C-alpha cells in the first residue's frame, strides 16, 4: 500500500526560513513606516460571523469567502479583508475612542480565488486606516505613507503610481447622464479594463444603460486630467468633488509626493462600501495586478448597525509587492547571518555555552546573535557551519595564542586572525 505524502493546499505558501526572512523584511518595513506616520497597531480574530461580510463588502468578495458552520451551528467566515473587523472594533468603542485616530494592522487573509500570479488563497495585507474625519488630508496622509513606504523598499518615483478617482464624482456623472442605479453599475465599471470593450458594453446594457450612455461613460473614465473632466461635468457636487481632488494633489505636491499620484478615473474598486475617494497603486505600466487599493467609506459603521463614523484607508498585499520588488532586485538576501560563531579546538562545550552567553549579553542594543556547535566536531566542520550560518566573526574559546581574558578570533569577511578581549571583538563587528 502506498501512502501519499501530505500536499500544500492550493493557493497557500510555506515559509521556510529563507522565505520567512524576506517576509519579515516586508513586515518590518510596513510596520516602521506606519509607525513613522504615528499609526497604532491593532489586531482582530482570523474568523468572524459570516454576516459581517454578506451584504456589506460586495458580491465578489462574498463569493470568495471561506465559510463553514462551527460546532455550535454558527455561520463563520475566515476573514477575507480587515475593514469590516475594523468597523466592528470602532462601533464597539465608538464613544471611548478619541477621534480622529490612525490605526494599522498586518492581517493574514483568506479568499477562495483562482490561484494565479499575484492572487493567492491566503496572503498578508497591510491595512492603514484613519477613522473619524471627513477631511481630504486623511487621504493625503495615507498616500504620503504609501509613497514613503514604496520608496523605502527602494522603488523610485515613476516605478509606481497611486491612481486616484472619486465615487462621488462618478456618481454625479452617472446622474448627469441619467444612468440608472449606480450601485449596480460600479461592479461593472470596476471590471472595465479587465473584460474588454465589448463585454463592458454588454454588461452595462444589462444594467440598463443605453449605447449613448455607455459611450459617454467610457469617455469619462478615460479622462487624464482634471481640466478635461471639468469640460464634462457641471453640477455643484461634481465641482466640489473635483476641488477636493485638486486640494489633495496640491497638498501631496507640497510634501514632495507630486510625482507619485495621478488622476485615474478608470479606478472604481470592487468593494461595495466606498463612498468617496478611491485609489489603487500600480507598478509602472500596470503590468501587474494592483499593489494596493483603498478608499473612503463614510457609512460602513452605519450599515453595520452603529452610528455613522467616517473612515478611509487602504490594503497592500504582500504577494504583488514581493513580485515587484523581486523584479527590481530589491529583496534582501534570504541567507541567514549571525554575529558570532563560538568554536572550540577541544570540544569544550561548557566553555562554548558560557562564552556564547557572555557574547549574547554584551550588546547594549539589540542582542547579538550567537551560534555554536551542538556536538563535538573537528574545527573544519565548525568553520563550515560558521560559514553556512553567515557568521561575521568566529571566536575560539581555547586558542593557544590567547592569554587570560582574551580570545583568538577570525573575521570571516576578510579572513584575518586576531587576538583580543571581548570589547575588542565586539568593536570589530
Ligand atoms: P482589496 O482591493 O480587496 O481591498 O485588496 C487590497 C490589496 O490586497 C490588493 O491590491 C492586493 O494587493 C491584495 N490582495 C487582494 N486579494 C488578494 C489575493 N487573493 N492574493 C494576494 N493579494 C491580494 C481591501 O481588501 C480593502 N479592505 C482595503 C481597505 C482598507 N479599504 C479601506 N481600508
Amino acid at each position: 500500500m502506498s501512502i501519499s505524502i501530505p500536499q500544500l493546499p492550493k493557493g497557500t505558501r510555506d515559509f521556510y526560513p529563507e522565505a520567512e526572512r524576506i517576509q519579515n523584511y516586508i513586515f518590518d518595513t510596513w510596520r516602521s513606516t506606519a509607525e513613522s506616520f504615528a499609526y497604532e497597531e491593532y489586531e482582530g480574530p482570523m474568523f468572524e460571523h459570516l454576516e459581517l461580510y454578506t451584504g456589506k463588502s460586495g458580491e465578489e468578495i462574498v463569493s470568495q469567502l471561506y465559510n463553514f458552520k462551527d460546532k455550535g451551528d454558527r455561520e463563520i467566515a475566515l476573514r477575507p479583508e480587515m475593514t469590516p473587523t475594523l468597523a466592528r472594533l470602532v462601533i464597539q468603542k465608538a464613544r471611548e475612542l478619541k477621534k480622529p485616530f490612525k490605526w494599522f494592522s498586518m492581517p493574514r487573509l483568506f479568499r477562495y480565488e483562482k490561484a494565479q500570479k499575484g492572487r493567492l488563497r491566503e496572503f498578508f495585507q497591510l491595512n492603514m486606516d484613519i477613522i473619524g474625519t471627513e477631511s481630504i488630508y486623511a487621504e493625503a496622509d495615507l498616500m504620503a505613507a504609501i509613497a514613503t513606504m514604496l520608496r523605502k523598499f527602494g522603488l523610485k518615483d515613476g516605478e509606481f503610481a497611486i491612481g486616484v478617482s472619486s465615487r462621488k464624482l462618478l456618481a454625479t456623472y452617472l446622474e448627469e447622464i441619467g444612468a440608472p442605479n449606480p450601485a449596480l453599475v460600479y461592479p461593472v465599471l470596476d471590471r472595465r479594463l479587465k473584460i474588454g470593450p465589448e463585454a463592458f458594453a454588454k454588461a452595462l446594457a444589462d444594467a440598463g444603460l443605453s449605447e449613448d450612455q455607455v459611450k459617454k461613460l467610457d469617455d469619462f473614465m478615460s479622462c487624464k486630467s482634471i481640466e478635461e473632466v471639468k469640460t464634462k461635468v457641471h453640477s455643484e457636487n461634481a465641482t466640489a468633488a473635483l476641488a477636493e481632488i485638486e486640494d489633495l494633489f496640491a497638498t501631496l505636491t507640497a510634501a514632495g509626493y507630486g510625482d507619485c499620484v495621478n488622476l485615474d478615473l478608470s479606478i472604481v474598486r470592487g468593494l461595495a462600501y466606498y463612498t468617496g475617494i478611491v485609489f489603487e497603486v500600480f507598478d509602472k505600466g500596470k503590468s501587474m495586478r494592483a499593489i494596493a487599493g483603498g478608499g473612503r467609506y463614510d457609512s460602513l459603521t452605519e450599515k453595520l448597525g452603529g452610528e455613522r463614523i467616517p473612515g478611509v484607508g487602504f490594503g497592500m498585499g504582500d504577494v504583488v509587492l514581493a513580485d515587484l520588488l523581486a523584479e527590481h532586485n530589491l529583496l534582501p538576501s534570504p541567507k541567514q547571518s549571525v554575529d558570532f560563531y563560538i568554536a572550540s579546538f577541544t570540544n569544550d562545550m561548557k566553555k562554548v555555552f558560557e562564552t556564547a552567553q557572555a557574547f549574547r549579553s554584551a550588546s547594549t542594543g539589540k542582542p547579538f546573535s550567537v551560534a555554536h556547535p551542538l556536538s563535538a566536531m573537528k574545527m573544519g566542520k565548525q568553520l563550515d557551519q560558521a560559514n553556512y550560518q553567515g557568521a561575521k566573526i568566529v571566536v575560539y574559546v581555547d586558542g593557544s595564542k590567547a592569554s587570560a581574558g582574551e580570545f583568538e578570533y577570525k573575521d570571516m569577511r576578510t579572513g584575518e586572525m586576531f587576538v583580543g578581549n571581548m570589547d575588542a571583538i565586539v568593536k570589530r563587528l
Side-chain angles (χ1 to χ4, degrees):
M1 192 179 75
S2 74
I3 302 174
S4 58
I5 57 164
Q7 301 287 315
L8 177 75
K10 227 185 223 168
T12 66
R13 291 167 289 177
D14 291 323
F15 294 95
Y16 284 89
E18 296 206 341
E20 187 68 357
R21 218 161 273 128
I22 290 189
Q23 202 64 21
N24 280 332
Y25 165 71
I26 291 175
F27 292 159
D28 290 348
T29 309
W30 277 353
R31 180 175 278 120
S32 65
T33 312
E35 285 177 349
S36 78
F37 277 77
Y39 287 67
E40 287 188 284
E41 190 162 359
Y42 72 99
E43 244 297 7
M46 285 210 206
F47 55 85
E48 294 270 10
H49 291 292
L50 176 65
E51 63 183 20
L52 185 65
Y53 308 106
T54 44
K56 292 100 186 172
S57 290
E59 260 168 58
E60 188 182 12
I61 217 164
V62 168
S63 72
Q64 295 168 344
L65 282 174
Y66 270 95
N67 56 312
F68 57 94
K69 260 197 186 146
D70 74 3
K71 288 178 181 159
D73 236 15
R74 283 170 287 257
E75 291 278 9
I76 297 293
L78 300 185
R79 61 184 179 194
E81 57 156 338
M82 198 59 172
T83 316
T85 297
L86 171 61
R88 187 174 59 70
L89 263 60
V90 171
I91 292 169
Q92 281 165 194
K93 293 208 172 186
R95 290 278 134 80
E96 290 146 74
L97 293 165
K98 182 140 179 53
K99 293 178 269 307
F101 58 86
K102 312 201 290 183
W103 283 5
F104 79 99
S105 192
M106 308 193 299
R108 190 188 276 261
L109 303 180
F110 309 86
R111 293 187 193 180
Y112 194 81
E113 288 208 55
K114 187 160 174 273
Q116 53 191 301
K117 195 167 166 53
R119 284 291 176 275
L120 296 176
R121 291 185 173 172
E122 184 193 44
F123 60 100
F124 292 89
Q125 190 195 62
L126 167 70
N127 278 249
M128 290 174 71
D129 289 87
I130 303 184
I131 305 295
T133 174
E134 289 183 22
S135 161
I136 191 73
Y137 304 120
E139 276 87 336
D141 193 70
L142 291 160
M143 291 178 195
I146 291 174
T148 302
M149 187 172 300
L150 295 179
R151 285 176 183 172
K152 215 173 193 175
F153 278 118
L155 291 169
K156 298 195 182 64
D157 295 6
E159 287 177 341
F160 66 88
I162 307 173
V164 179
S165 180
S166 160
R167 278 203 180 173
K168 255 193 239 161
L169 185 63
L170 203 53
T172 59
Y173 188 68
L174 287 170
E175 206 176 301
E176 278 188 33
I177 63 169
N181 195 353
L184 277 182
V185 178
Y186 287 147
V188 182
L189 300 188
D190 180 54
R191 295 200 304 275
R192 174 171 161 266
L193 297 177
K194 286 171 214 148
I195 59 179
E198 273 159 38
F200 178 64
K202 169 151 191 340
L204 283 181
D206 290 348
L209 272 77
S210 69
E211 222 170 278
D212 180 52
Q213 286 170 324
V214 173
K215 163 104 188 42
K216 280 189 173 142
L217 206 47
D218 200 47
D219 284 351
F220 181 76
M221 292 175 80
S222 310
C223 282
K224 288 279 169 289
S225 72
I226 292 179
E227 292 316 310
E228 203 182 341
V229 183
K230 278 184 182 163
T231 65
K232 296 192 193 303
V233 288
H234 312 285
S235 73
E236 213 173 286
N237 285 343
T239 311
L242 272 177
E244 204 177 55
I245 299 178
E246 276 181 317
D247 192 10
L248 171 67
F249 286 176
T251 308
L252 286 168
T253 301
Y257 302 105
D259 292 339
C260 307
V261 286
N262 62 268
L263 184 77
D264 186 346
L265 297 187
S266 72
I267 293 167
V268 181
R269 307 272 301 135
L271 290 159
Y273 47 68
Y274 293 118
T275 54
I277 294 283
V278 282
F279 55 97
E280 269 174 350
V281 186
F282 282 98
D283 63 301
K284 183 182 162 208
K286 290 194 178 179
S287 70
M288 295 182 172
R289 309 204 50 161
I291 308 164
R296 178 165 281 286
Y297 48 95
D298 285 348
S299 42
L300 181 58
T301 51
E302 206 173 22
K303 272 193 189 168
L304 288 170
E307 59 186 277
R308 184 176 180 282
I309 303 170
V312 56
F314 71 86
M316 180 186 290
D318 62 331
V319 182
V320 180
L321 176 66
D323 284 350
L324 181 64
L325 296 180
E327 194 173 273
H328 287 270
N329 257 325
L330 291 171
L331 288 173
S333 159
K335 286 224 151 28
Q336 187 183 12
S337 136
V338 303
D339 295 318
F340 301 109
Y341 184 94
I342 313 297
S344 168
F345 292 103
T346 61
N347 290 306
D348 182 346
M349 294 307 285
K350 292 194 182 62
K351 193 92 185 132
V352 165
F353 268 77
E354 182 197 326
T355 311
Q357 199 43 37
F359 271 88
R360 273 184 204 112
S361 25
S363 167
T364 46
K366 185 175 170 232
F368 293 130
S369 55
V370 184
H372 59 70
L374 291 170
S375 62
M377 61 181 73
K378 295 214 167 80
M379 185 48 71
K381 202 118 190 257
Q382 295 182 53
L383 287 177
D384 277 353
Q385 274 196 346
N387 240 326
Y388 187 71
Q389 294 190 265
K392 294 186 186 108
I393 292 176
V394 173
V395 178
Y396 303 89
V397 296
D398 42 15
S400 57
K401 295 194 190 87
S403 34
E406 289 187 332
F407 301 93
E408 278 181 36
Y409 61 101
K410 180 176 185 174
D411 188 324
M412 299 292 277
R413 297 158 296 188
T414 63
E416 292 167 286
M417 288 292 301
F418 302 93
V419 179
N421 62 16
M422 195 190 259
D423 277 353
I425 300 175
V426 166
K427 276 206 188 94
R428 174 113 209 139
L429 252 195

